[in-house]
């Protein structure tokens, strides 16, 4: 921009223009002049040069002075227009003045020109100042009217920014609110001309934040004074952005919005052309900023009062609820309902601390976005940040958590989901009962910053305190009721509740027709422990015992603490008494087998158990309990670990448990052996295989009958280990015969149900085969009922066994239930007719028919048939006539040792005519 007086001359004679400029300079004026002589140049310079005064000749070859006057009055009416002409008649002069000319000067009297120019410019400036003042005063009145008519802050801000933009020629305005807690300016509202580039620029401002002194707006906030930028592209005070360059923003000014002597926001106006500073506008906008600040303060006060009224309504409603409700669920449900319906919150939910899952569990909710609760991170583990949200923080840090603007809060992972449900701000208030955090109350509002005011948060904290007080009161009432039926130290049922439960267990056992066992457990030397280590150590011991007992019971209702050092256990559905004894031994071992840690010391503790059986030892709960106590007293007197109320049962159980203990040692001591019973062809009596049978050679008991120990092996699960041993030993014996006999017979080993049920049964067989010769010669015998349990799974196992070269026979055929459809699909090679049919077939025609049918069925399925328990020649002949393939029994040979079988195989004839 040039300095001094800018003069635009409409003059066709260059010398005349020179004389005019010289005269002005001689008068002491600093002149910057430009000369034009056609309309196009005149119009251009009016816009670009922006002269202070126009001097025009009256007549020019290409241009007429009166026409220039018309253009000047239309384009720049405030610029003084003076005719400077050689000849100007009085009529023309009057017409020129009427058309808007400021004055006229003859070229022959140029000495008069400088004062005329000075006066015209001075008067124009005065007129412009008055007009500008009137314009700005009208703008202030417009702002006052608009904020008075506005229903809310957003509407008022938009209207004010639009008025300033339209009256002052700015393209857009943006309001940034002071976030005092964060110490930042945050975008709040805007208005812009409806053009895509400007709208994009505004949209890009929404996430903008500014610290004090940062950028033009930050400087305004810090100084509390408006600032102007003539060229934002080259102004270091202005923060540059790609959007501002793309939008072509060049000019800007910002004004503070003040209330109560402090800046509460900043409004920034921008334009796509450079603008010279307008001091009068800057002074005016300071007044406008105060008016807007007062308006926003009133709006905030009204919102504040409305929010307080809503919260008071919630507080009143919930306090009324607290008086009448008796349960936590109803309290929580009503609190959420009142918060939404009376308080106007978008969503309210209450969660309680769940120590088992180490999380906050939502138990009541009301309002929009209930499905949103299921998406929230509610964990209490700080080491898992993906699950540790504001609810967890509120509990852990014991203080309220506020998200003033959910959409911009990085602590909230579900910002998009919350925004879609109309949730804009959030407060999570911890609930305390007896000074411990028991849960949270979460409230969601539909506007950002809802929870910023201290008064409102004070009421909400009071509300959370009232809910916490109610929870504490309800918990204490529940505690009193709890103490009437539960042991406060261990949490187990007390004697009162246990007797009620025992009676119900007995009623159920009576209706179902099964037995029930009651055990009373007495902790040995508990008084001594209590006296020597102190009561806290004794209490800790009882709690540890209770935890261990609970950990080994299916239902917590089955156990109780009925006296200082006594616990009870119910086994509500049992079989034989020895099962009870085994379970009692196992439970005592589980609970008392390992030391207890009391402080820094390990302490080994034992116990005595008295057991009474229903219905034998009592038909009602009181009698059964009394008899169990009597058995306990006997156990303590005799120093037995446990005793049954009936002495005979105790002795029988003791014998059975002794046998079980010996069996556990028998495998380690190699006391099990295999005996073999030959299988022969029915027609030729030639030995074609043997069945392996487990025998126990006990040093104390001698050769124990199979019926005495095989069922016990299956009950205790020892059959798994013994069964694996039998498979390996059978394969090894077959290998022995392969080396020491002319021909090694195939060896069939019986498989128990629990062996076949094992998922890795095929792998066990494969491992056993690997310990023998090739071919291994191993076959398996599986009972009919076991095969029918899980047919599909068993078919897969049998196919896998077949691939290993193992043949499978269905043992005890005819005693169970078989589907003929499945029987045809089973990959088995033979059927064994149960010995019960063979024994009676000669006496009972029906049984003989059944045997014949089985043989016919097997032949139709191309299966071999083996008859078990053949003890006479008549039976053998009958089976031969019936075309039974093979047979075994005492007629051929009783089960014998491996060496006896070896001798049999070494005979020249491998036929057996009678039992040897």
């Amino acid at each position: 921009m040039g300095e001094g007086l800018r003069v635009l001359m409409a003059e066709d004679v260059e010398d005349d223009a020179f004389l005019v400029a010289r005269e002005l300079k001689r008068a002491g004026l600093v002149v910057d002049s430009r000369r034009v002589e056609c309309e196009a140049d005149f119009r251009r310079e009016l816009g670009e040069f922006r002269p202070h005064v126009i001097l025009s000749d009256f007549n020019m070859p290409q241009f007429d002075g009166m026409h220039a006057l018309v253009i000047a009055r239309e384009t720049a009416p405030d610029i003084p227009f003076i005719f400077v002409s050689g000849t100007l008649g009085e009529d023309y002069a009057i017409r020129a003045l009427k058309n808007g000319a400021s004055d006229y000067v003859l070229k022959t009297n140029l000495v008069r020109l400088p004062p005329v120019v000075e006066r015209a410019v001075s008067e124009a400036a005065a007129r412009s100042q008055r007009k500008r003042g009137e314009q700005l005063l009208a703008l202030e009145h417009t702002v006052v009217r608009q904020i008075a008519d506005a229903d809310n802050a957003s509407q008022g801000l938009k209207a004010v920014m639009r008025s300033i933009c339209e009256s002052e020629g700015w393209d857009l305005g943006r309001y940034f609110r002071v976030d005092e807690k964060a110490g930042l300016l945050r975008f709040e509202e805007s208005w812009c001309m409806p053009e895509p580039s400007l709208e994009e620029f505004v949209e890009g401002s929404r996430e903008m934040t500014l610290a004090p002194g940062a950028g033009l707006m930050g400087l305004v906030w810090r100084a509390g004074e408006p600032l102007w930028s003539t060229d934002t592209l080259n102004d270091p005070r202005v923060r540059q952005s790609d959007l501002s360059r793309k939008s072509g923003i060049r000019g800007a000014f910002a004004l503070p919005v003040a209330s109560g002597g402090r800046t509460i926001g900043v409004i920034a106006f921008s334009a796509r052309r450079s603008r010279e500073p307008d001091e009068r506008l800057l002074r005016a906008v300071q007044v406008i900023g105060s008016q807007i600040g007062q308006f926003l303060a009133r709006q905030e006060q009204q919102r504040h009062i409305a929010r307080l009224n809503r919260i008071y309504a919630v507080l009143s409603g919930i306090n009324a609820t607290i008086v009448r409700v008796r349960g936590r669920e109803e309290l929580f449900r009503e609190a959420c309902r009142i918060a939404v319906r009376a308080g106007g919150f978008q969503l309210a939910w209450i969660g309680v601390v769940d120590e088992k899952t180490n999380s906050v569990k939502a138990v009541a909710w009301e309002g929009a976005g209930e499905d949103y609760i299921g998406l929230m991170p509610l964990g209490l583990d700080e080491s898992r940040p993906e699950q540790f949200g504001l609810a967890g923080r509120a509990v852990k840090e014991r203080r309220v958590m506020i998200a003033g603007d959910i959409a911009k809060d990085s602590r909230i992972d579900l910002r998009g989901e919350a925004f879609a449900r109309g949730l804009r701000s959030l407060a999570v208030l911890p609930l305390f009962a007896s000074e411990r955090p028991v849960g949270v109350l979460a409230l969601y509002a539909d506007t950002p910053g809802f929870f910023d005011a201290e008064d409102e948060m004070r009421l909400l904290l009071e509300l959370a305190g009232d809910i916490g007080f109610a929870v504490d009161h309800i918990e204490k009432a529940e505690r009193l009721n709890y103490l009437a039926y539960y042991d406060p130290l261990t949490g187990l049922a007390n004697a009162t509740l246990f007797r009620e439960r025992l009676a119900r267990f007995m009623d159920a056992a009576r209706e179902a027709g099964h037995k029930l066992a009651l055990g009373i457990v007495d902790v040995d030397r508990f008084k001594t422990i209590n006296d020597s280590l102190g009561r806290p150590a004794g209490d800790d011991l009882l709690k540890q015992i209770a935890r261990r007992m609970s950990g080994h019971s299916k239902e917590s209702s089955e156990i109780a603490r009925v006296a200082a050092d006594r616990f009870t256990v119910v086994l509500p559905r049992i079989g034989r008494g020895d099962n009870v004894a085994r379970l009692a031994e196992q439970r005592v071992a589980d609970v008392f087998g390992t030391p207890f840690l009391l402080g820094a010391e390990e302490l080994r503790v034992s116990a005595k158990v008295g057991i009474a059986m229903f219905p034998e030892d009592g038909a009602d709960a009181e009698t059964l309990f009394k008899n169990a106590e009597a058995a306990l007293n006997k156990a303590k007197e005799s120093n037995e670990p446990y005793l049954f109320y009936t002495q005979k049962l105790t002795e029988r159980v003791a014998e059975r448990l002794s046998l079980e203990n010996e069996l556990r040692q028998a495998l380690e001591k190699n006391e099990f052996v295999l005996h073999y019973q030959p299988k022969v062809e029915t027609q030729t009596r030639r030995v074609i295989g043997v069945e392996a049978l487990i025998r126990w050679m006990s040093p104390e008991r001698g050769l124990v009958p199979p019926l005495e120990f095989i069922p016990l092996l299956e009950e205790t699960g020892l059959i798994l280990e013994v069964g694996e041993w039998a498979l390996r030993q059978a394969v090894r014996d077959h290998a022995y015969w392969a080396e020491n006999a002319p021909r090694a017979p195939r060896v069939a080993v019986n498989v128990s149900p629990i062996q076949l049920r094992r998922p890795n049964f095929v792998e066990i067989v494969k491992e056993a085969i690997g310990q023998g010769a090739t071919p291994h010669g191993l076959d398996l015998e599986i009972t009919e009922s076991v095969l029918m349990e899980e047919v599909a799974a068993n078919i897969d196992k049998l196919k896998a066994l077949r691939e290993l070269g193992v043949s499978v026979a269905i043992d005890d055929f005819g005693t169970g239930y078989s589907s003929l459809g499945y029987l045809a699909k089973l990959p088995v090679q033979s059927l064994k007719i149960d010995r019960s049919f063979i024994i009676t077939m000669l006496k009972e025609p029906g049984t003989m028919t059944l045997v014949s049918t089985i043989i016919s069925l097997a032949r139709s399925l191309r299966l071999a048939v083996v008859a078990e328990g053949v003890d006479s020649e008549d039976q053998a002949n009958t089976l031969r006539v019936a075309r039974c393939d093979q047979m075994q029994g005492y007629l051929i040979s009783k089960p014998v040792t491996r060496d006896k079988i070896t001798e049999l195989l070494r005979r020249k004839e491998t036929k057996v005519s009678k039992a040897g």
Side-chain angles (χ1 to χ4, degrees):
M1 180 182 71
E3 295 181 356
L5 185 68
R6 294 191 298 275
V7 179
L8 178 62
M9 298 183 190
E11 175 63 64
D12 61 320
V13 179
E14 187 174 353
D15 290 343
D16 287 352
F18 172 77
L19 293 173
V20 168
R22 187 182 70 175
E23 192 64 36
L24 292 174
K25 291 176 181 178
R26 285 177 61 185
L29 299 175
V30 179
V31 177
D32 179 13
S33 63
R34 293 186 184 182
R35 185 179 69 87
V36 298
E37 53 183 295
C38 66
E39 179 181 347
D41 292 342
F42 183 74
R43 288 183 181 276
R44 184 189 71 247
E45 293 298 339
L46 275 179
E48 294 181 0
F49 186 48
R50 289 181 293 167
H52 293 121
V53 63
I54 300 170
L55 303 179
S56 176
D57 196 357
F58 195 77
N59 292 310
M60 293 174 285
Q62 301 182 49
F63 200 26
D64 180 70
M66 292 298 284
H67 185 50
L69 176 61
V70 171
I71 294 171
R73 294 287 72 84
E74 290 177 351
T75 308
D78 295 331
I79 299 175
F81 191 103
I82 300 172
F83 279 108
V84 180
S85 179
T87 59
L88 187 67
E90 185 177 346
D91 292 339
Y92 281 107
I94 294 171
R95 193 176 71 173
L97 292 174
K98 286 183 177 180
N99 287 343
S102 302
D103 208 337
Y104 66 92
V105 175
L106 294 175
K107 290 182 179 180
T108 57
N109 191 20
L110 287 179
V111 69
R112 181 173 171 269
L113 181 61
V116 169
V117 168
E118 287 182 318
R119 185 180 67 253
V121 170
S122 176
E123 289 176 353
R127 286 195 304 272
S128 179
Q129 290 293 328
R130 285 196 303 274
K131 183 177 179 182
R132 183 62 173 152
E134 292 169 356
Q135 184 182 10
L136 292 175
L137 184 61
L139 178 60
E140 290 180 25
H141 290 163
T142 300
V143 168
V144 170
R145 185 175 65 256
Q146 287 175 332
I147 60 180
D149 293 340
D151 294 330
N152 53 60
S154 175
Q155 182 183 352
L157 282 168
K158 279 182 176 292
V160 169
M161 287 187 285
R162 177 174 183 173
S163 293
I164 294 175
C165 285
E166 290 179 343
S167 68
E168 297 299 312
W170 296 91
D171 293 327
L172 62 93
R174 296 170 294 161
Y175 174 66
F176 287 80
R177 172 182 58 86
V178 172
D179 183 344
E180 293 182 349
K181 290 185 178 180
L184 295 170
L185 282 174
R186 295 189 185 278
F187 179 92
E188 182 86 359
E189 197 54 80
S190 66
W191 182 89
C192 73
M193 300 286 287
E195 294 185 20
S197 62
L198 297 178
E199 291 170 349
E200 185 179 358
F201 175 72
V202 170
E203 192 63 30
S205 303
R206 293 188 182 277
E207 300 300 323
M208 183 186 296
T209 57
L210 295 162
L216 197 66
M217 288 175 283
L219 290 168
V220 170
W221 177 22
R222 186 170 66 183
E225 298 289 339
L227 290 176
W228 193 289
S229 177
T230 304
D231 186 358
T232 59
L233 293 180
N234 299 304
D235 191 335
R237 300 173 303 170
V238 179
R239 290 177 57 176
Q240 299 297 321
S241 69
D242 292 338
L243 276 174
S244 63
R245 285 188 288 271
K246 182 178 178 182
S247 303
I249 300 299
R250 295 295 299 274
F253 84 93
L255 66 131
V257 175
S259 175
R262 62 187 179 89
T263 300
I264 63 171
V266 175
I267 300 180
F269 292 93
S270 304
R272 288 170 291 184
R273 61 185 177 88
S274 296
R275 299 280 297 268
E276 293 297 324
D278 187 337
E279 294 299 330
R280 295 199 64 178
L281 175 60
L282 290 176
R283 288 195 299 272
V285 295
Q286 279 193 298
V287 176
I288 292 173
S290 296
Q291 292 171 337
I292 296 172
Q294 294 171 20
F295 163 69
L296 292 177
R298 287 196 304 273
Q299 288 290 316
E300 180 58 31
Q301 188 176 24
Q302 290 172 6
R303 287 197 301 270
H304 181 56
I305 293 171
R307 288 198 292 260
L308 285 177
N309 288 336
R310 286 162 55 183
I311 295 172
Y312 273 122
V314 174
L315 193 60
S316 175
I318 289 179
N319 285 339
T321 299
I322 289 172
V323 173
R324 63 178 176 78
V325 300
R326 293 292 178 266
R328 289 200 308 176
E329 292 76 11
E330 184 181 2
L331 169 66
F332 293 158
R333 190 170 56 251
E334 281 296 294
C336 292
R337 186 187 65 80
I338 293 168
V340 171
R341 299 188 183 182
F345 291 103
Q346 289 294 100
L347 172 65
W349 64 270
I350 290 178
V352 297
V353 173
D354 188 338
E355 294 180 356
K356 291 182 180 179
T357 61
N358 196 28
S359 66
V360 174
K361 181 181 179 182
V363 294
W365 52 82
E366 181 79 17
E370 293 176 8
D371 57 330
Y372 175 67
I373 299 171
L375 304 174
M376 289 188 294
L378 298 177
L380 293 174
D381 187 352
E382 298 175 68
S383 65
R384 299 181 62 191
E386 72 282 359
Q387 292 296 323
F388 189 63
L390 292 188
R393 291 180 183 275
V395 172
K396 286 291 186 180
E397 299 179 22
R398 302 171 67 93
R399 63 186 180 92
V400 63
M401 290 290 157
I402 296 175
D405 190 342
I406 291 177
K408 298 176 182 177
D409 198 319
S410 60
R411 298 172 301 172
I412 299 176
D413 294 332
L414 303 172
R415 294 188 291 274
E417 290 83 351
F419 193 85
R421 292 166 173 80
L423 310 177
R424 298 294 184 269
S425 56
L426 159 69
V428 183
L429 302 105
L431 302 177
F432 296 94
S434 300
E435 299 185 356
R436 59 186 176 86
V438 295
V440 296
L441 166 64
L443 300 171
Y444 294 76
D446 57 359
T447 55
F450 184 93
F451 303 99
D452 291 347
E454 292 183 4
D455 289 347
E456 294 155 25
M457 285 312 304
R458 178 178 54 79
L459 288 176
L460 289 175
L461 288 170
E462 182 180 338
L463 170 65
D466 290 348
I467 294 175
F469 173 79
V471 170
D472 187 41
H473 177 74
I474 291 170
E475 284 185 348
K476 286 177 179 176
E478 291 174 346
R479 179 72 173 166
L480 290 174
N481 185 60
Y482 174 84
L483 292 176
Y485 292 99
Y486 290 89
D487 171 38
L489 180 64
T490 63
L492 300 177
N494 61 16
T496 302
L497 179 57
F498 181 75
R499 280 182 167 84
E500 292 179 7
R501 288 177 173 174
L502 178 60
R504 290 198 294 270
F505 280 129
M506 293 172 70
D507 289 341
R510 187 179 292 108
E511 290 177 8
H514 57 70
K515 294 186 177 184
L516 171 150
L518 167 64
I520 301 180
V521 182
D522 185 273
V523 182
D524 290 340
R525 303 183 300 108
F526 179 72
K527 186 177 185 305
T528 304
I529 296 169
N530 220 18
D531 292 343
S532 59
L533 298 182
R535 183 168 180 176
D539 288 349
D540 188 23
L541 174 61
L542 291 173
K543 287 191 282 189
Q544 290 188 49
I545 292 172
R547 282 197 296 270
R548 291 188 184 182
M549 291 183 72
S550 299
H552 293 92
S553 293
K554 293 180 179 179
E555 297 289 341
S556 59
S557 59
E558 297 175 0
I559 57 176
R561 181 187 177 211
V562 295
D565 56 354
R566 286 189 178 181
F567 297 85
T568 55
V569 180
V570 173
L571 301 177
R573 189 183 187 94
I574 54 133
R576 299 189 304 273
D578 52 305
N579 285 341
V580 178
R582 189 178 303 108
L583 285 170
E585 274 198 348
Q586 185 62 50
R587 290 280 182 91
V588 170
D590 291 337
V591 176
F592 298 97
T594 55
F596 293 88
L597 187 64
L598 300 179
E601 296 184 16
E602 286 189 349
L603 182 68
R604 288 195 174 274
V605 178
S606 59
K608 300 292 187 294
V609 184
I611 303 171
M613 304 288 294
F614 170 82
E616 296 94 325
D617 302 331
D620 59 79
E622 200 61 41
T623 303
L624 194 67
F625 196 90
K626 181 184 68 177
N627 290 340
E629 282 187 317
L632 175 62
N633 293 333
K634 279 187 183 180
K636 293 174 71 175
E637 290 171 5
S638 59
N639 202 31
E640 293 289 340
Y642 64 87
L643 279 179
F644 285 82
Y645 178 69
T646 305
Q647 182 62 30
K648 187 179 291 185
L649 180 58
T650 298
E651 292 173 358
R652 188 172 76 243
V653 168
E655 168 63 22
R656 191 168 179 85
L657 290 179
S658 174
L659 180 64
E660 181 180 331
N661 290 332
E662 289 179 31
L663 275 173
R664 293 184 183 278
Q665 299 174 20
L667 188 60
E668 299 174 6
K669 295 180 179 180
N670 296 319
E671 294 176 6
F672 290 111
V673 295
L674 288 183
H675 283 192
Y676 297 95
Q677 187 172 42
K679 289 190 289 185
V680 300
E681 289 181 344
T682 307
Q683 298 292 336
T684 64
R685 303 280 177 101
R686 186 170 64 91
V687 176
I688 59 171
V690 293
E691 179 181 356
L693 302 166
I694 297 175
R695 295 293 184 262
W696 177 23
M697 295 296 296
S698 170
E700 294 82 13
R701 301 171 183 267
L703 185 62
V704 182
L707 289 178
E708 288 189 19
F709 73 90
I710 294 293
L712 193 56
L713 285 177
E714 293 184 342
E715 276 185 28
T716 58
L718 287 171
I719 192 66
L720 294 174
E721 297 177 58
V722 176
E724 288 185 32
W725 169 84
L727 289 171
R728 293 193 297 271
Q729 187 61 43
V731 170
R732 285 194 290 266
D733 286 349
H734 179 271
Y736 174 83
W737 289 322
E739 291 183 4
N740 297 284
R743 182 174 54 82
R746 296 187 70 84
V747 183
V749 178
N750 288 282
V751 175
S752 73
I754 59 174
Q755 281 180 280
L756 185 62
R757 292 188 195 109
R758 298 180 78 175
N760 62 337
F761 175 67
V762 176
E763 292 299 319
I764 292 171
V765 175
K766 185 176 181 180
E767 183 182 349
I769 289 172
Q771 298 186 17
T774 303
H776 53 76
L778 180 67
D779 294 335
L780 299 180
E781 294 186 3
I782 305 173
T783 60
E784 176 185 11
S785 56
V786 172
L787 282 174
M788 291 297 112
E789 282 182 359
E790 298 177 6
V791 178
N794 287 337
I795 287 175
D796 292 339
K797 290 178 182 178
L798 296 183
K799 287 179 179 178
L801 291 172
R802 186 59 182 162
E803 290 177 3
L804 296 175
V806 177
S807 295
V808 177
I810 300 179
D811 199 12
D812 300 336
F813 189 78
T815 60
Y817 171 77
S818 296
S819 164
L820 293 180
Y822 278 123
L823 186 62
K825 295 178 183 178
L826 288 172
V828 298
Q829 287 69 49
S830 58
L831 302 179
K832 296 192 74 174
I833 303 174
D834 187 69
R835 67 188 310 274
S836 61
F837 299 131
I838 303 302
I839 291 170
T840 60
M841 69 177 180
L842 297 180
K843 301 175 182 177
E844 298 176 1
T847 304
M848 186 65 237
T849 301
L850 181 59
V851 170
S852 300
T853 302
I854 293 173
I855 294 171
S856 299
L857 174 64
R859 287 192 167 280
S860 64
L861 294 174
R862 298 182 179 179
L863 301 177
V865 186
V866 182
E868 292 184 289
V870 180
D871 297 333
S872 68
E873 285 292 347
D874 289 341
Q875 293 170 343
N877 289 331
T878 302
L879 291 168
R880 180 175 53 79
V881 171
R883 299 178 68 191
C884 178
D885 299 305
Q886 302 168 23
M887 62 182 179
Q888 67 182 90
Y890 275 34
L891 174 66
I892 310 302
S893 172
K894 64 181 181 181
V896 294
T897 63
R898 181 188 67 181
D899 293 339
K900 292 284 188 182
I901 295 295
T902 306
E903 291 177 12
L904 176 65
L905 296 172
R906 284 175 177 170
R907 294 176 188 172
K908 290 183 180 180
E909 292 185 1
T910 56
K911 298 179 182 178
V912 180
S913 58
K914 62 180 180 178

